[in-house]
Amino acid sequence: MNRDAMEDLFLQLIRISNEILALELDTFEDLAQLEYLQNQQTELMEQIEQVDHSSSVVKPYIGELKSLESQIQEKLYLNRHDSENQIKKMQNAVKLRGRYQSNQAIQAEGYFVDNQN
């Protein structure tokens, strides 16, 4: 693989990594885009495995990719943690709602109003 083609591969990987970091990951579309970008990343990584990594041309790219990958892993970890916390909050809200709905004394005092029409 010639130098220009090799640099192009690394630049594509860096672009994809930056696109992943730019995702908000709060919609299904974002998650689908994340999967698409990760698949592209995997394809490029398979090509890059054939490159001589000891080359002085390659080392700066590898350093930048390692940094970006670290940032991506941190972002995905925080997103997963946030999602788990949101699920727990929703589960607790459902439990509380059930308790209030089944407690006649609370309903009689007007603390809980159910908008069932």
Side-chain angles (χ1 to χ4, degrees), residues 28-59:
F28 289 117
E29 290 81 13
D30 286 347
L31 296 175
Q33 183 67 13
L34 172 64
E35 183 178 5
Y36 172 76
L37 291 170
Q38 286 178 323
N39 288 337
Q40 281 189 325
Q41 236 180 358
T42 301
E43 291 173 17
L44 291 172
M45 289 302 291
E46 290 171 358
Q47 294 177 34
I48 284 182
E49 287 177 0
Q50 302 168 8
V51 172
D52 177 17
H53 292 194
S54 63
S55 165
S56 61
V57 173
V58 172
K59 287 183 181 183

PDB file of all heavy atoms in Angstrom, residues 28-59:
ATOM      1  N   PHE A  28     -32.971   6.683  18.602  1.00  0.00           N
ATOM      2  CA  PHE A  28     -32.700   5.442  17.897  1.00  0.00           C
ATOM      3  C   PHE A  28     -31.917   5.699  16.617  1.00  0.00           C
ATOM      4  O   PHE A  28     -31.091   4.876  16.210  1.00  0.00           O
ATOM      5  CB  PHE A  28     -34.002   4.700  17.594  1.00  0.00           C
ATOM      6  CG  PHE A  28     -34.641   4.106  18.816  1.00  0.00           C
ATOM      7  CD1 PHE A  28     -35.887   4.525  19.222  1.00  0.00           C
ATOM      8  CD2 PHE A  28     -33.991   3.135  19.557  1.00  0.00           C
ATOM      9  CE1 PHE A  28     -36.483   3.984  20.352  1.00  0.00           C
ATOM     10  CE2 PHE A  28     -34.563   2.584  20.685  1.00  0.00           C
ATOM     11  CZ  PHE A  28     -35.817   3.009  21.084  1.00  0.00           C
ATOM     12  N   GLU A  29     -32.148   6.849  16.003  1.00  0.00           N
ATOM     13  CA  GLU A  29     -31.405   7.196  14.794  1.00  0.00           C
ATOM     14  C   GLU A  29     -29.920   7.340  15.099  1.00  0.00           C
ATOM     15  O   GLU A  29     -29.069   6.893  14.330  1.00  0.00           O
ATOM     16  CB  GLU A  29     -31.942   8.493  14.165  1.00  0.00           C
ATOM     17  CG  GLU A  29     -33.315   8.363  13.547  1.00  0.00           C
ATOM     18  CD  GLU A  29     -34.455   8.444  14.567  1.00  0.00           C
ATOM     19  OE1 GLU A  29     -34.235   8.845  15.733  1.00  0.00           O
ATOM     20  OE2 GLU A  29     -35.578   8.078  14.193  1.00  0.00           O
ATOM     21  N   ASP A  30     -29.604   7.970  16.237  1.00  0.00           N
ATOM     22  CA  ASP A  30     -28.204   8.105  16.647  1.00  0.00           C
ATOM     23  C   ASP A  30     -27.573   6.741  16.881  1.00  0.00           C
ATOM     24  O   ASP A  30     -26.426   6.497  16.512  1.00  0.00           O
ATOM     25  CB  ASP A  30     -28.077   8.941  17.926  1.00  0.00           C
ATOM     26  CG  ASP A  30     -28.308  10.416  17.696  1.00  0.00           C
ATOM     27  OD1 ASP A  30     -28.323  10.859  16.529  1.00  0.00           O
ATOM     28  OD2 ASP A  30     -28.473  11.142  18.697  1.00  0.00           O
ATOM     29  N   LEU A  31     -28.324   5.850  17.524  1.00  0.00           N
ATOM     30  CA  LEU A  31     -27.793   4.510  17.797  1.00  0.00           C
ATOM     31  C   LEU A  31     -27.595   3.730  16.499  1.00  0.00           C
ATOM     32  O   LEU A  31     -26.610   2.998  16.360  1.00  0.00           O
ATOM     33  CB  LEU A  31     -28.717   3.756  18.752  1.00  0.00           C
ATOM     34  CG  LEU A  31     -28.835   4.374  20.149  1.00  0.00           C
ATOM     35  CD1 LEU A  31     -29.856   3.618  20.982  1.00  0.00           C
ATOM     36  CD2 LEU A  31     -27.489   4.406  20.850  1.00  0.00           C
ATOM     37  N   ALA A  32     -28.497   3.904  15.544  1.00  0.00           N
ATOM     38  CA  ALA A  32     -28.335   3.250  14.239  1.00  0.00           C
ATOM     39  C   ALA A  32     -27.112   3.823  13.521  1.00  0.00           C
ATOM     40  O   ALA A  32     -26.330   3.079  12.903  1.00  0.00           O
ATOM     41  CB  ALA A  32     -29.591   3.442  13.401  1.00  0.00           C
ATOM     42  N   GLN A  33     -26.931   5.136  13.602  1.00  0.00           N
ATOM     43  CA  GLN A  33     -25.760   5.782  12.995  1.00  0.00           C
ATOM     44  C   GLN A  33     -24.478   5.305  13.669  1.00  0.00           C
ATOM     45  O   GLN A  33     -23.473   5.070  13.002  1.00  0.00           O
ATOM     46  CB  GLN A  33     -25.889   7.310  13.072  1.00  0.00           C
ATOM     47  CG  GLN A  33     -24.769   8.069  12.410  1.00  0.00           C
ATOM     48  CD  GLN A  33     -24.726   7.916  10.904  1.00  0.00           C
ATOM     49  OE1 GLN A  33     -25.657   7.435  10.270  1.00  0.00           O
ATOM     50  NE2 GLN A  33     -23.622   8.305  10.307  1.00  0.00           N
ATOM     51  N   LEU A  34     -24.510   5.140  14.979  1.00  0.00           N
ATOM     52  CA  LEU A  34     -23.351   4.625  15.708  1.00  0.00           C
ATOM     53  C   LEU A  34     -22.974   3.238  15.194  1.00  0.00           C
ATOM     54  O   LEU A  34     -21.806   2.962  14.921  1.00  0.00           O
ATOM     55  CB  LEU A  34     -23.644   4.570  17.218  1.00  0.00           C
ATOM     56  CG  LEU A  34     -22.599   3.872  18.082  1.00  0.00           C
ATOM     57  CD1 LEU A  34     -21.267   4.624  18.050  1.00  0.00           C
ATOM     58  CD2 LEU A  34     -23.099   3.723  19.507  1.00  0.00           C
ATOM     59  N   GLU A  35     -23.966   2.382  15.041  1.00  0.00           N
ATOM     60  CA  GLU A  35     -23.697   1.029  14.539  1.00  0.00           C
ATOM     61  C   GLU A  35     -23.113   1.073  13.128  1.00  0.00           C
ATOM     62  O   GLU A  35     -22.152   0.371  12.817  1.00  0.00           O
ATOM     63  CB  GLU A  35     -24.975   0.203  14.561  1.00  0.00           C
ATOM     64  CG  GLU A  35     -24.762  -1.232  14.123  1.00  0.00           C
ATOM     65  CD  GLU A  35     -26.023  -2.064  14.194  1.00  0.00           C
ATOM     66  OE1 GLU A  35     -27.108  -1.534  14.486  1.00  0.00           O
ATOM     67  OE2 GLU A  35     -25.911  -3.271  13.929  1.00  0.00           O
ATOM     68  N   TYR A  36     -23.686   1.914  12.289  1.00  0.00           N
ATOM     69  CA  TYR A  36     -23.187   2.062  10.916  1.00  0.00           C
ATOM     70  C   TYR A  36     -21.725   2.523  10.908  1.00  0.00           C
ATOM     71  O   TYR A  36     -20.883   1.955  10.209  1.00  0.00           O
ATOM     72  CB  TYR A  36     -24.072   3.050  10.150  1.00  0.00           C
ATOM     73  CG  TYR A  36     -23.542   3.423   8.796  1.00  0.00           C
ATOM     74  CD1 TYR A  36     -23.647   2.540   7.725  1.00  0.00           C
ATOM     75  CD2 TYR A  36     -22.928   4.658   8.586  1.00  0.00           C
ATOM     76  CE1 TYR A  36     -23.151   2.884   6.470  1.00  0.00           C
ATOM     77  CE2 TYR A  36     -22.435   4.998   7.336  1.00  0.00           C
ATOM     78  CZ  TYR A  36     -22.542   4.117   6.290  1.00  0.00           C
ATOM     79  OH  TYR A  36     -22.043   4.452   5.052  1.00  0.00           O
ATOM     80  N   LEU A  37     -21.428   3.538  11.711  1.00  0.00           N
ATOM     81  CA  LEU A  37     -20.060   4.065  11.764  1.00  0.00           C
ATOM     82  C   LEU A  37     -19.088   3.043  12.341  1.00  0.00           C
ATOM     83  O   LEU A  37     -17.951   2.930  11.875  1.00  0.00           O
ATOM     84  CB  LEU A  37     -20.027   5.365  12.577  1.00  0.00           C
ATOM     85  CG  LEU A  37     -20.719   6.563  11.927  1.00  0.00           C
ATOM     86  CD1 LEU A  37     -20.829   7.717  12.911  1.00  0.00           C
ATOM     87  CD2 LEU A  37     -19.993   6.991  10.661  1.00  0.00           C
ATOM     88  N   GLN A  38     -19.525   2.300  13.345  1.00  0.00           N
ATOM     89  CA  GLN A  38     -18.656   1.274  13.922  1.00  0.00           C
ATOM     90  C   GLN A  38     -18.371   0.171  12.904  1.00  0.00           C
ATOM     91  O   GLN A  38     -17.253  -0.366  12.874  1.00  0.00           O
ATOM     92  CB  GLN A  38     -19.271   0.701  15.194  1.00  0.00           C
ATOM     93  CG  GLN A  38     -19.181   1.661  16.362  1.00  0.00           C
ATOM     94  CD  GLN A  38     -19.838   1.125  17.622  1.00  0.00           C
ATOM     95  OE1 GLN A  38     -20.866   0.466  17.564  1.00  0.00           O
ATOM     96  NE2 GLN A  38     -19.233   1.423  18.755  1.00  0.00           N
ATOM     97  N   ASN A  39     -19.347  -0.161  12.073  1.00  0.00           N
ATOM     98  CA  ASN A  39     -19.112  -1.156  11.020  1.00  0.00           C
ATOM     99  C   ASN A  39     -18.101  -0.635  10.000  1.00  0.00           C
ATOM    100  O   ASN A  39     -17.221  -1.379   9.555  1.00  0.00           O
ATOM    101  CB  ASN A  39     -20.425  -1.531  10.324  1.00  0.00           C
ATOM    102  CG  ASN A  39     -21.315  -2.376  11.206  1.00  0.00           C
ATOM    103  OD1 ASN A  39     -20.856  -3.038  12.133  1.00  0.00           O
ATOM    104  ND2 ASN A  39     -22.602  -2.353  10.927  1.00  0.00           N
ATOM    105  N   GLN A  40     -18.212   0.645   9.645  1.00  0.00           N
ATOM    106  CA  GLN A  40     -17.232   1.247   8.736  1.00  0.00           C
ATOM    107  C   GLN A  40     -15.839   1.225   9.368  1.00  0.00           C
ATOM    108  O   GLN A  40     -14.850   0.941   8.698  1.00  0.00           O
ATOM    109  CB  GLN A  40     -17.610   2.697   8.421  1.00  0.00           C
ATOM    110  CG  GLN A  40     -18.690   2.863   7.403  1.00  0.00           C
ATOM    111  CD  GLN A  40     -18.852   4.319   7.002  1.00  0.00           C
ATOM    112  OE1 GLN A  40     -18.688   5.227   7.817  1.00  0.00           O
ATOM    113  NE2 GLN A  40     -19.174   4.544   5.739  1.00  0.00           N
ATOM    114  N   GLN A  41     -15.796   1.531  10.655  1.00  0.00           N
ATOM    115  CA  GLN A  41     -14.529   1.526  11.380  1.00  0.00           C
ATOM    116  C   GLN A  41     -13.881   0.148  11.312  1.00  0.00           C
ATOM    117  O   GLN A  41     -12.680   0.029  11.073  1.00  0.00           O
ATOM    118  CB  GLN A  41     -14.800   1.865  12.859  1.00  0.00           C
ATOM    119  CG  GLN A  41     -14.050   3.005  13.394  1.00  0.00           C
ATOM    120  CD  GLN A  41     -14.388   3.253  14.861  1.00  0.00           C
ATOM    121  OE1 GLN A  41     -15.207   2.593  15.478  1.00  0.00           O
ATOM    122  NE2 GLN A  41     -13.725   4.222  15.416  1.00  0.00           N
ATOM    123  N   THR A  42     -14.670  -0.874  11.532  1.00  0.00           N
ATOM    124  CA  THR A  42     -14.162  -2.246  11.526  1.00  0.00           C
ATOM    125  C   THR A  42     -13.580  -2.596  10.163  1.00  0.00           C
ATOM    126  O   THR A  42     -12.491  -3.188  10.079  1.00  0.00           O
ATOM    127  CB  THR A  42     -15.290  -3.233  11.895  1.00  0.00           C
ATOM    128  OG1 THR A  42     -15.775  -2.895  13.192  1.00  0.00           O
ATOM    129  CG2 THR A  42     -14.803  -4.662  11.887  1.00  0.00           C
ATOM    130  N   GLU A  43     -14.269  -2.218   9.095  1.00  0.00           N
ATOM    131  CA  GLU A  43     -13.776  -2.493   7.745  1.00  0.00           C
ATOM    132  C   GLU A  43     -12.435  -1.810   7.495  1.00  0.00           C
ATOM    133  O   GLU A  43     -11.509  -2.409   6.940  1.00  0.00           O
ATOM    134  CB  GLU A  43     -14.791  -2.038   6.705  1.00  0.00           C
ATOM    135  CG  GLU A  43     -16.061  -2.865   6.669  1.00  0.00           C
ATOM    136  CD  GLU A  43     -17.118  -2.287   5.734  1.00  0.00           C
ATOM    137  OE1 GLU A  43     -16.772  -1.451   4.871  1.00  0.00           O
ATOM    138  OE2 GLU A  43     -18.290  -2.672   5.886  1.00  0.00           O
ATOM    139  N   LEU A  44     -12.322  -0.562   7.917  1.00  0.00           N
ATOM    140  CA  LEU A  44     -11.069   0.167   7.721  1.00  0.00           C
ATOM    141  C   LEU A  44      -9.947  -0.409   8.583  1.00  0.00           C
ATOM    142  O   LEU A  44      -8.794  -0.477   8.155  1.00  0.00           O
ATOM    143  CB  LEU A  44     -11.262   1.655   8.030  1.00  0.00           C
ATOM    144  CG  LEU A  44     -12.133   2.422   7.034  1.00  0.00           C
ATOM    145  CD1 LEU A  44     -12.414   3.823   7.548  1.00  0.00           C
ATOM    146  CD2 LEU A  44     -11.467   2.471   5.662  1.00  0.00           C
ATOM    147  N   MET A  45     -10.292  -0.840   9.795  1.00  0.00           N
ATOM    148  CA  MET A  45      -9.281  -1.411  10.685  1.00  0.00           C
ATOM    149  C   MET A  45      -8.692  -2.694  10.086  1.00  0.00           C
ATOM    150  O   MET A  45      -7.491  -2.957  10.240  1.00  0.00           O
ATOM    151  CB  MET A  45      -9.867  -1.702  12.065  1.00  0.00           C
ATOM    152  CG  MET A  45     -10.168  -0.462  12.881  1.00  0.00           C
ATOM    153  SD  MET A  45      -8.726   0.589  13.169  1.00  0.00           S
ATOM    154  CE  MET A  45      -7.786  -0.427  14.273  1.00  0.00           C
ATOM    155  N   GLU A  46      -9.526  -3.465   9.410  1.00  0.00           N
ATOM    156  CA  GLU A  46      -9.026  -4.675   8.758  1.00  0.00           C
ATOM    157  C   GLU A  46      -7.997  -4.331   7.688  1.00  0.00           C
ATOM    158  O   GLU A  46      -7.012  -5.042   7.514  1.00  0.00           O
ATOM    159  CB  GLU A  46     -10.183  -5.474   8.163  1.00  0.00           C
ATOM    160  CG  GLU A  46     -11.062  -6.124   9.224  1.00  0.00           C
ATOM    161  CD  GLU A  46     -12.332  -6.736   8.661  1.00  0.00           C
ATOM    162  OE1 GLU A  46     -12.576  -6.644   7.431  1.00  0.00           O
ATOM    163  OE2 GLU A  46     -13.089  -7.307   9.468  1.00  0.00           O
ATOM    164  N   GLN A  47      -8.210  -3.229   6.993  1.00  0.00           N
ATOM    165  CA  GLN A  47      -7.249  -2.798   5.974  1.00  0.00           C
ATOM    166  C   GLN A  47      -5.980  -2.253   6.628  1.00  0.00           C
ATOM    167  O   GLN A  47      -4.875  -2.468   6.132  1.00  0.00           O
ATOM    168  CB  GLN A  47      -7.865  -1.730   5.078  1.00  0.00           C
ATOM    169  CG  GLN A  47      -9.007  -2.231   4.230  1.00  0.00           C
ATOM    170  CD  GLN A  47      -9.637  -1.106   3.421  1.00  0.00           C
ATOM    171  OE1 GLN A  47      -8.952  -0.189   2.990  1.00  0.00           O
ATOM    172  NE2 GLN A  47     -10.948  -1.181   3.241  1.00  0.00           N
ATOM    173  N   ILE A  48      -6.134  -1.563   7.729  1.00  0.00           N
ATOM    174  CA  ILE A  48      -4.988  -0.949   8.398  1.00  0.00           C
ATOM    175  C   ILE A  48      -4.090  -1.986   9.064  1.00  0.00           C
ATOM    176  O   ILE A  48      -2.899  -1.759   9.236  1.00  0.00           O
ATOM    177  CB  ILE A  48      -5.477   0.131   9.390  1.00  0.00           C
ATOM    178  CG1 ILE A  48      -5.889   1.355   8.591  1.00  0.00           C
ATOM    179  CG2 ILE A  48      -4.440   0.471  10.434  1.00  0.00           C
ATOM    180  CD1 ILE A  48      -6.353   2.521   9.390  1.00  0.00           C
ATOM    181  N   GLU A  49      -4.653  -3.136   9.397  1.00  0.00           N
ATOM    182  CA  GLU A  49      -3.841  -4.194   9.999  1.00  0.00           C
ATOM    183  C   GLU A  49      -2.703  -4.614   9.077  1.00  0.00           C
ATOM    184  O   GLU A  49      -1.688  -5.124   9.537  1.00  0.00           O
ATOM    185  CB  GLU A  49      -4.711  -5.404  10.352  1.00  0.00           C
ATOM    186  CG  GLU A  49      -5.594  -5.162  11.549  1.00  0.00           C
ATOM    187  CD  GLU A  49      -6.516  -6.339  11.842  1.00  0.00           C
ATOM    188  OE1 GLU A  49      -6.474  -7.352  11.099  1.00  0.00           O
ATOM    189  OE2 GLU A  49      -7.267  -6.242  12.817  1.00  0.00           O
ATOM    190  N   GLN A  50      -2.848  -4.377   7.790  1.00  0.00           N
ATOM    191  CA  GLN A  50      -1.829  -4.761   6.815  1.00  0.00           C
ATOM    192  C   GLN A  50      -0.712  -3.726   6.691  1.00  0.00           C
ATOM    193  O   GLN A  50       0.294  -3.970   6.038  1.00  0.00           O
ATOM    194  CB  GLN A  50      -2.482  -4.986   5.456  1.00  0.00           C
ATOM    195  CG  GLN A  50      -3.558  -6.042   5.488  1.00  0.00           C
ATOM    196  CD  GLN A  50      -4.389  -6.056   4.220  1.00  0.00           C
ATOM    197  OE1 GLN A  50      -4.076  -5.376   3.252  1.00  0.00           O
ATOM    198  NE2 GLN A  50      -5.449  -6.841   4.226  1.00  0.00           N
ATOM    199  N   VAL A  51      -0.874  -2.579   7.338  1.00  0.00           N
ATOM    200  CA  VAL A  51       0.098  -1.489   7.241  1.00  0.00           C
ATOM    201  C   VAL A  51       1.219  -1.710   8.260  1.00  0.00           C
ATOM    202  O   VAL A  51       0.997  -2.208   9.358  1.00  0.00           O
ATOM    203  CB  VAL A  51      -0.606  -0.132   7.518  1.00  0.00           C
ATOM    204  CG1 VAL A  51       0.391   1.003   7.609  1.00  0.00           C
ATOM    205  CG2 VAL A  51      -1.641   0.141   6.449  1.00  0.00           C
ATOM    206  N   ASP A  52       2.439  -1.315   7.876  1.00  0.00           N
ATOM    207  CA  ASP A  52       3.578  -1.376   8.787  1.00  0.00           C
ATOM    208  C   ASP A  52       3.413  -0.282   9.851  1.00  0.00           C
ATOM    209  O   ASP A  52       3.549   0.899   9.560  1.00  0.00           O
ATOM    210  CB  ASP A  52       4.881  -1.170   8.010  1.00  0.00           C
ATOM    211  CG  ASP A  52       6.097  -1.144   8.904  1.00  0.00           C
ATOM    212  OD1 ASP A  52       6.007  -1.587  10.069  1.00  0.00           O
ATOM    213  OD2 ASP A  52       7.156  -0.662   8.447  1.00  0.00           O
ATOM    214  N   HIS A  53       3.148  -0.686  11.073  1.00  0.00           N
ATOM    215  CA  HIS A  53       2.861   0.282  12.144  1.00  0.00           C
ATOM    216  C   HIS A  53       4.102   0.922  12.733  1.00  0.00           C
ATOM    217  O   HIS A  53       4.001   1.825  13.547  1.00  0.00           O
ATOM    218  CB  HIS A  53       2.035  -0.387  13.244  1.00  0.00           C
ATOM    219  CG  HIS A  53       0.652  -0.733  12.794  1.00  0.00           C
ATOM    220  ND1 HIS A  53      -0.344  -1.067  13.655  1.00  0.00           N
ATOM    221  CD2 HIS A  53       0.099  -0.786  11.564  1.00  0.00           C
ATOM    222  CE1 HIS A  53      -1.452  -1.324  12.992  1.00  0.00           C
ATOM    223  NE2 HIS A  53      -1.202  -1.163  11.719  1.00  0.00           N
ATOM    224  N   SER A  54       5.277   0.472  12.336  1.00  0.00           N
ATOM    225  CA  SER A  54       6.494   1.076  12.861  1.00  0.00           C
ATOM    226  C   SER A  54       6.961   2.264  12.025  1.00  0.00           C
ATOM    227  O   SER A  54       7.884   2.977  12.402  1.00  0.00           O
ATOM    228  CB  SER A  54       7.608   0.028  12.943  1.00  0.00           C
ATOM    229  OG  SER A  54       7.915  -0.434  11.635  1.00  0.00           O
ATOM    230  N   SER A  55       6.292   2.495  10.912  1.00  0.00           N
ATOM    231  CA  SER A  55       6.637   3.602  10.030  1.00  0.00           C
ATOM    232  C   SER A  55       6.452   4.933  10.750  1.00  0.00           C
ATOM    233  O   SER A  55       5.487   5.145  11.483  1.00  0.00           O
ATOM    234  CB  SER A  55       5.763   3.555   8.776  1.00  0.00           C
ATOM    235  OG  SER A  55       5.831   4.766   8.083  1.00  0.00           O
ATOM    236  N   SER A  56       7.363   5.866  10.495  1.00  0.00           N
ATOM    237  CA  SER A  56       7.265   7.189  11.126  1.00  0.00           C
ATOM    238  C   SER A  56       6.047   7.957  10.614  1.00  0.00           C
ATOM    239  O   SER A  56       5.545   8.853  11.286  1.00  0.00           O
ATOM    240  CB  SER A  56       8.545   7.987  10.885  1.00  0.00           C
ATOM    241  OG  SER A  56       8.732   8.180   9.492  1.00  0.00           O
ATOM    242  N   VAL A  57       5.571   7.629   9.443  1.00  0.00           N
ATOM    243  CA  VAL A  57       4.383   8.280   8.889  1.00  0.00           C
ATOM    244  C   VAL A  57       3.136   7.844   9.648  1.00  0.00           C
ATOM    245  O   VAL A  57       2.211   8.627   9.867  1.00  0.00           O
ATOM    246  CB  VAL A  57       4.242   7.927   7.387  1.00  0.00           C
ATOM    247  CG1 VAL A  57       2.940   8.449   6.819  1.00  0.00           C
ATOM    248  CG2 VAL A  57       5.423   8.458   6.601  1.00  0.00           C
ATOM    249  N   VAL A  58       3.106   6.605  10.077  1.00  0.00           N
ATOM    250  CA  VAL A  58       1.928   6.004  10.692  1.00  0.00           C
ATOM    251  C   VAL A  58       1.789   6.362  12.176  1.00  0.00           C
ATOM    252  O   VAL A  58       0.674   6.517  12.682  1.00  0.00           O
ATOM    253  CB  VAL A  58       1.983   4.466  10.509  1.00  0.00           C
ATOM    254  CG1 VAL A  58       0.906   3.769  11.291  1.00  0.00           C
ATOM    255  CG2 VAL A  58       1.914   4.113   9.046  1.00  0.00           C
ATOM    256  N   LYS A  59       2.894   6.511  12.879  1.00  0.00           N
ATOM    257  CA  LYS A  59       2.860   6.701  14.337  1.00  0.00           C
ATOM    258  C   LYS A  59       1.976   7.848  14.805  1.00  0.00           C
ATOM    259  O   LYS A  59       1.199   7.681  15.750  1.00  0.00           O
ATOM    260  CB  LYS A  59       4.275   6.820  14.888  1.00  0.00           C
ATOM    261  CG  LYS A  59       5.004   5.497  14.892  1.00  0.00           C
ATOM    262  CD  LYS A  59       6.371   5.609  15.506  1.00  0.00           C
ATOM    263  CE  LYS A  59       7.045   4.249  15.448  1.00  0.00           C
ATOM    264  NZ  LYS A  59       8.340   4.251  16.086  1.00  0.00           N
TER     265      LYS A  59
END
